[in-house]
Amino acid sequence: MTTPEQSQLGKASAYADQYDASLLFPIARAGKRAEIGIAGAAPFFGADLWTAFELSWLNLRGKPQVALAHITVPCETPNIVESKSFKLYLNSFNNTRFADAAEVQARIRTDISEAVWRGADRAATVGVKLLLPELFDREPVHELDGLSLDRLDVECTRYQPAPELLTAASGEAPVSEVLTSNLLKSNCLVTGQPDWGSVQIAYSGPQIDQEGLLQYIVSFRNHNEFHEQCVERIFMDIWTRCQPIKLTVYARYTRRGGLDINPLRTSHPQQLPANTRTARQ
């Protein structure tokens, strides 16, 4: 069993520039899920949408090539990939020759799939899409749709997750709302370095008190946990405290080390959103 403390996070690291899949460091999801009351199958669907902004390799004549990569990791995989190890892995492509972008795409798909499914009885490939420079100007910037909670003038005094701030009008008619905030901040589980994010919460059910929801989002400000774990904690707290009929929690975090991670968790099957960055990303 690998743990975050065994990874390269917070440690001096040699940057390999020759392809090396062994640099990927998977971490099991189960431990953190157990902390939020998930044993066995999770009560949600979804995926982690990664964007790699620093991807380069050499063609067969030694000329550098560049691309962006979108990687989609289903949330039912038993592992996540620690993000610094992902960066080190991508850097290992820098001075390695590949026949074309399709070969690079296939290597990334195979390697990430092996890491996130390691230890499982079954496996499936993750989604990998490479965007070459001629397509860069087609990459849109768009903020999360919904009613902004940040408009509310609330007092915030809690800076560790406080699910007791969440309440819903259980005796009233159900509503459907999409609410957003740019005030999500948490810290890396190991290094304590800040992670900045925006969050979208879509639900149907008893109306959630918006002031309490914003205060709850702010309460993650000094909390140390990986992006995927924070989103699952938010989902489970709202799911158990407010008891919506349907719930989707989607967060987009700013990039670190040339990578952004954007987890989505939903109570019901749905099409994944386009991996569209916000202005801060």
Side-chain angles (χ1 to χ4, degrees), residues 1-14:
M1 180 71 69
T2 57
T3 66
E5 292 75 19
Q6 295 171 311
S7 74
Q8 289 297 311
L9 273 174
K11 302 172 185 175
S13 304

Side-chain angles (χ1 to χ4, degrees), residues 90-158:
L90 292 178
N91 280 340
S92 78
F93 284 72
N94 290 351
N95 280 344
T96 305
R97 299 188 183 209
F98 294 94
D100 52 26
E103 183 182 359
V104 174
Q105 180 184 26
R107 289 287 182 93
I108 295 173
R109 180 183 292 115
T110 297
D111 296 340
I112 300 299
S113 298
E114 189 282 327
V116 297
W117 285 104
R118 189 175 299 169
D121 294 332
R122 67 185 184 92
T125 57
V126 302
V128 178
K129 179 182 179 182
L130 260 56
L131 298 173
L132 299 178
E134 56 267 25
L135 299 178
F136 284 176
D137 64 356
R138 298 185 189 178
E139 286 290 276
V141 174
H142 184 75
E143 298 306 298
L144 294 171
D145 293 322
L147 176 64
S148 175
L149 294 169
D150 302 345
R151 75 189 193 284
L152 301 173
D153 183 19
V154 299
E155 181 179 11
C156 299
T157 60
R158 309 287 292 276

